[in-house]
Amino acid sequence: FKADPIPEGYVEKILEAARWAPSGANSQPWEFVVVRDTKTKDEIADLFVESVKLSRKVDTRFPFSDKYIESIKPRISGAPVLIAVCGDKRLKDAYPKTTDREHILSVSIGAAIEHIHLAATALGLASSWGTVSIFAEERLKELLGVPDELSIYEVIQIGYPAEQPTRSRRSLDSIIHYERFNRSKLRSDREIKELITKRTAPDIYAHLAPKT
């Protein structure tokens, strides 16, 4: 991210978009902690670095490279604004017992996160999310004063982009199925395995475009 500050009112515009996201049973289970303080951002960055190093020891097959770990600190500390996206776990009781309540809560939070990304992009900003691992959540909640009733799902970094990243996407035709699923478009086990084993960063699609 560039060091340029985000104009006043932009964060509120982004979160105004987030609060209009759809949610299961209109439960609106989200809460947002906005962090601008340099010291707090540094502590969050250190916490993420430490948690990823621990994750690498536990999940040895996941591509936690040294280069990736080195990128975490400047990305989090250098972002002008961080938004910790929290979800109220108690609202799972608002959903039918015959559904996967955890899934509905996660999808609802995901919708708000997507609105944050879209609103930031519409304002000419860049955004990057940081998923909170099992090693980081409790300490992060303590740092930000988040109560036990909530979970922290993501810490989104927002600012002006220092560069334009390259992105790969599956073709539109390869993912659309009309009326019924077209099994001929289903990626083979070999293709999925190749996609996963050849990735060089935690972002599965960062550097490898899947075959179409």
Side-chain angles (χ1 to χ4, degrees):
F1 293 97
K2 293 181 180 178
D4 302 3
I6 295 175
E8 187 173 347
Y10 271 33
V11 171
E12 288 72 22
K13 288 181 179 180
I14 290 169
L15 295 180
E16 173 67 8
R19 82 180 183 95
W20 283 100
S23 60
N26 193 29
S27 54
Q28 303 174 49
W30 40 71
E31 306 283 344
F32 308 103
V33 181
V34 178
V35 179
R36 292 189 174 93
D37 179 72
T38 299
K39 183 176 181 295
T40 305
K41 288 190 294 183
D42 284 342
E43 291 184 53
I44 293 173
D46 290 338
L47 186 56
F48 265 79
V49 169
E50 181 181 341
S51 69
V52 170
K53 287 181 178 179
L54 289 171
S55 296
R56 182 162 65 174
K57 292 179 180 179
V58 173
D59 189 354
T60 56
R61 298 181 65 184
F62 203 76
F64 293 117
S65 66
D66 290 337
K67 183 178 180 182
Y68 170 70
I69 293 175
E70 290 168 2
S71 74
I72 295 173
K73 174 84 174 180
R75 177 160 50 86
I76 295 177
S77 295
V81 171
L82 303 178
I83 299 177
V85 181
C86 308
D88 194 325
K89 297 175 288 186
R90 296 172 298 175
L91 284 163
K92 288 189 288 186
D93 289 340
Y95 313 137
K97 291 182 179 179
T98 53
T99 61
D100 185 337
R101 289 171 158 181
E102 190 70 43
H103 173 77
I104 295 174
L105 180 64
S106 296
V107 168
S108 300
I109 296 297
I113 290 171
E114 180 68 4
H115 280 216
I116 288 173
H117 287 298
L118 291 173
T121 300
L123 292 170
L125 300 169
S127 57
S128 175
W129 66 8
T131 302
V132 179
S133 80
I134 57 174
F135 300 115
E137 185 177 16
E138 289 307 313
R139 290 173 60 190
L140 185 58
K141 288 171 71 172
E142 182 179 352
L143 178 63
L144 299 179
V146 175
D148 290 338
E149 292 83 357
L150 274 60
S151 293
I152 304 179
Y153 284 76
E154 302 288 337
V155 175
I156 301 176
Q157 307 107 58
I158 296 179
Y160 285 102
E163 59 185 30
Q164 292 298 325
T166 57
R167 297 185 177 94
S168 63
R169 288 291 185 269
R170 297 168 63 191
S171 70
L172 187 61
D173 178 68
S174 71
I175 61 176
I176 296 180
H177 309 265
Y178 294 102
E179 310 306 337
R180 289 175 60 83
F181 193 94
N182 182 349
R183 191 170 177 82
S184 69
K185 296 183 179 183
L186 181 66
R187 288 178 287 183
S188 68
D189 290 345
R190 180 187 60 78
E191 288 175 310
I192 296 296
K193 184 177 180 180
E194 184 177 278
L195 177 65
I196 293 172
T197 56
K198 286 188 176 180
R199 60 188 171 169
T200 57
D203 176 2
I204 191 171
Y205 292 120
H207 305 296
L208 180 66
K211 296 179 179 179
T212 59

